[in-house]
Amino acid sequence: MNDRLLADLADIIRSVARVSADVELGAETRLIEDLSIDSLDLVGIILKIQDDHGVSIDEDDVPTLTTLGSLAAYVENRRGAAAA
């Protein structure tokens, strides 16, 4: 997994969902259970990721994106698909 992408997504989550810099974010961090991200913040995070990374996130896939790591892997795969 791309550490730079993971860090960038963590920054987006911190910014949009107002997660404190004191909270450690890693690949296993669960978005809803660990960070208490609500549906409105989740939509904002998805939109920001799409804008910043030039990927499209299918709304049917959103329920499977439960951790920061799964989100990073998804974005990485979508980038690869867009480049192909």
Side-chain angles (χ1 to χ4, degrees):
M1 183 176 314
N2 183 330
D3 288 340
R4 184 173 174 202
L5 175 59
L6 200 61
D8 187 50
L9 295 180
D11 287 344
I12 289 171
I13 290 169
R14 286 187 195 287
S15 172
V16 174
R18 298 167 306 283
V19 174
S20 170
D22 296 338
V23 176
E24 186 176 329
L25 299 181
E28 299 301 316
T29 302
R30 298 173 300 173
L31 302 177
I32 295 170
E33 293 86 351
D34 297 338
L35 303 177
S36 300
I37 291 175
D38 63 25
S39 59
L40 188 57
D41 283 338
L42 187 58
V43 168
I45 290 166
I46 297 299
L47 292 173
K48 178 80 169 143
I49 291 169
Q50 290 181 133
D51 287 347
D52 288 4
H53 292 276
V55 296
S56 176
I57 299 175
D58 189 332
E59 69 180 79
D60 292 336
D61 293 334
V62 172
T64 67
L65 306 174
T66 58
T67 65
L68 181 53
S70 65
L71 187 57
Y74 184 88
V75 170
E76 207 165 45
N77 288 337
R78 297 297 273 199
R79 279 181 174 172

